Each structure stands twice: as C-alpha cells, then as structure tokens.
Amino acid sequence: MFFQIKAYLKFLWHSKNEHAVHSPFVFSLITKCFYDKKSKPEYVVLKDYRNALLQNKNSIEITDFGAGSKVFKSNTRVISQIAKTAGISPKRARLLYRITHYFKPANILELGTSLGLATSALALGSRSLGTKASIVTLEGCPNTMAIAKNQLQSLNTSNVKCVTTEFKDYLQICNLKSEIYDLIYFDGNHSKIATLDYFELLLPTITNDTVWIFDDIHWSAEMEEAWEIIKKHPKVTVTIDTFQWGLVFFRREQPKEHFIIRV
C-alpha cells in the first residue's frame, strides 16, 4: 500500500490535463473521450450489471494464476466482495465503455474476465456503434468465468466468446500472426514477466490503429518496470499513463511521446 501511495503522489506531481497536450491525436482522445461528462444510457446497464453481482452473497473457490491479491487472504471468496474490491471500478467501466465507443474496434481481446465487469463495458461500447465487435475474453478461473457467463447472458452478448484458459497457453496455441486485435485489455496476471510475455506474444496482432490498455501499471515496482520497458519498445509510439491504466499506441505517423494524464 505504501508503494502505491508513493507512486500516486509521483503521478500527481507529473500529471497534466488537456491544456498541456500538443498532439492532436491525444488532445482529441482526452477532450472527446476521457473528459466526456455526458450521461449515457449504457451507464445504467453497467450499474445494473454491477448491482446484480454486489447482491450475490454466494462464495466460490478462486483459481489464481497471477500475482495474487492484496485484499483477499483466502481463495474462498464471496462474489459480492470480489465485485466490490477486485473488479473494475464504476468510473473505469464507464471510461472503458467510452474508449471502446471512441475507437470503434472490430476485434477485441480481454485478458482477465473475472466477473465480466470490464467485459460488459467492452460489449456495450461496441454495441452503441450500431454494430457488435467480436470479443474474446480469457479467464483462468472456471468458477469466476461461470459467474461472468451467466451475467453476460443478461446483456445479450452473443458476440462475446468466453474462454477458460491460462493466458499464455491460449496465446501460444493460437496462430496470432493471422489474428488482428484492434483493442486489447490486459487485466490478469500483474507480474512483470507475464506482462512482458503477453506483450511480445501479441505484437503480431497489431495494426497502425491498435490500442492496448494495461491495468494496474503502478500495482508494484515490477509492474512499473514492465511499463517502462513497454514504453521504450521500438514499435510503441504513443503511451498514456492515467495511473490505473497504461494506454499503448503503435501509430507510425506519431512521434514517440509519453503522456501522464489525470482522468
């Protein structure tokens, strides 16, 4: 906890808003997407999805392939507590919805379904365009995936393919050179080695317009190290640090630049 407080104070010291941004691409993203304060009917759906999980007092056994939890001491967890403390926050779910709507991705990959809170934002963001993106979401724990599948059915998310698997196993089996993902949301294994492994494995899927979102880039010292390595990769041009998330772009026409933005 002390590490994250220190990291956040450092973030606040260096962060800017749209007035300090001179890149038209990033300025438009910030003003039209990040700082869009208008209410959306989809926000009500996201809230209802969350509330259904918050009212679920059943317990499940968690299979954790990642760096572990800083909140839970046991692998037996109440669903409502997982939704309250481990899932994407309401504010971040709305932002993820807006990002999906803004970039209009046709193919989405999510690493870390959990209870489907972020998945629902991705699905609704694509649906609001009048079309449905093809979404593949991966989860290592069969019990949380079962809950997510059940909840996602209420949204009529026929475009979402839920796969219970360890991430690296799935990525190594797939012929990723033939896959294109316009948006990838990384929210599973918060360790440096795993994060960088996924980064390298998924590079063949990028296009000039691809956006990657890494969750919890300041979760630990080693996640910050992974983020610094990703920023410096030669194929990466623009990166945006919002503290909770690190957004990565591969736009060849953009000069290499890093932004620290308050959201």
Side-chain angles (χ1 to χ4, degrees):
M1 182 63 71
F2 176 75
F3 173 84
Q4 290 179 322
I5 293 171
K6 184 179 177 181
Y8 186 62
L9 292 174
K10 184 179 179 181
F11 167 83
L12 288 178
W13 179 259
H14 291 287
S15 62
K16 309 292 183 185
N17 58 24
E18 76 275 21
H19 301 298
V21 172
H22 303 293
S23 163
F25 169 75
V26 177
F27 182 83
S28 177
L29 174 61
I30 294 171
T31 55
K32 296 179 181 179
C33 177
F34 285 7
Y35 293 169
D36 179 3
K37 304 301 182 184
K38 295 177 184 177
S39 180
K40 321 285 182 188
E42 290 80 7
Y43 291 173
V44 177
V45 181
L46 291 175
K47 185 177 180 180
D48 289 344
Y49 187 102
R50 180 181 300 276
N51 285 341
L53 292 169
L54 291 175
Q55 293 167 14
N56 191 331
K57 304 304 179 183
N58 294 323
S59 295
I60 56 174
E61 190 73 17
I62 298 295
T63 304
D64 195 341
F65 295 101
S69 171
K70 291 185 176 180
V71 177
F72 297 103
K73 304 303 180 185
S74 168
N75 283 340
T76 301
R77 302 170 191 174
V78 179
I79 293 168
S80 60
Q81 288 301 309
I82 300 173
K84 183 179 180 180
T85 60
I88 189 173
S89 71
K91 181 180 178 181
R92 288 285 160 176
R94 293 191 294 268
L95 177 56
L96 189 58
Y97 162 85
R98 294 198 301 273
I99 290 173
T100 309
H101 181 81
Y102 182 84
F103 285 112
K104 302 175 174 57
N107 295 286
I108 298 172
L109 176 66
E110 179 185 30
L111 273 65
T113 315
S114 187
L115 298 176
L117 288 162
T119 320
S120 63
L122 294 167
L124 289 171
S126 68
R127 184 187 301 176
S128 64
L129 306 172
T131 59
K132 291 184 179 181
S134 171
I135 303 173
V136 175
T137 181
L138 311 181
E139 174 57 49
C141 176
N143 291 333
T144 51
M145 180 61 95
I147 301 298
K149 276 185 177 180
N150 183 60
Q151 284 297 120
L152 288 167
Q153 285 177 358
S154 66
L155 301 183
N156 188 26
T157 51
S158 58
N159 58 317
V160 178
K161 178 182 178 183
C162 297
V163 183
T164 304
T165 179
E166 290 192 51
F167 304 155
K168 195 170 183 180
D169 289 348
Y170 180 89
L171 298 179
Q172 288 177 332
I173 291 171
C174 290
N175 180 16
L176 293 176
K177 290 183 180 180
S178 65
E179 298 282 353
I180 294 296
Y181 291 116
D182 307 295
L183 188 154
I184 302 181
Y185 182 59
F186 297 80
D187 182 23
N189 191 327
H190 295 130
S191 72
K192 175 182 176 180
I193 293 175
T195 299
L196 295 177
D197 280 348
Y198 306 151
F199 177 88
E200 293 291 343
L201 283 168
L202 285 161
L203 275 177
T205 71
I206 64 171
T207 69
N208 198 60
D209 298 319
T210 293
V211 53
W212 287 4
I213 305 171
F214 289 88
D215 186 55
D216 279 338
I217 55 172
H218 297 285
W219 191 77
S220 64
E222 68 168 29
M223 279 300 289
E224 285 193 343
E225 291 169 7
W227 176 237
E228 289 301 317
I229 292 170
I230 289 168
K231 284 162 52 179
K232 294 173 183 175
H233 193 278
K235 287 190 176 181
V236 171
T237 53
V238 174
T239 53
I240 302 175
D241 179 348
T242 69
F243 187 73
Q244 182 73 31
W245 289 346
L247 280 77
V248 176
F249 300 91
F250 305 89
R251 294 163 57 85
R252 291 183 294 274
E253 67 273 24
Q254 297 283 141
K256 198 170 185 69
E257 201 167 1
H258 177 60
F259 299 88
I260 303 175
I261 302 296
R262 296 188 295 273
V263 177

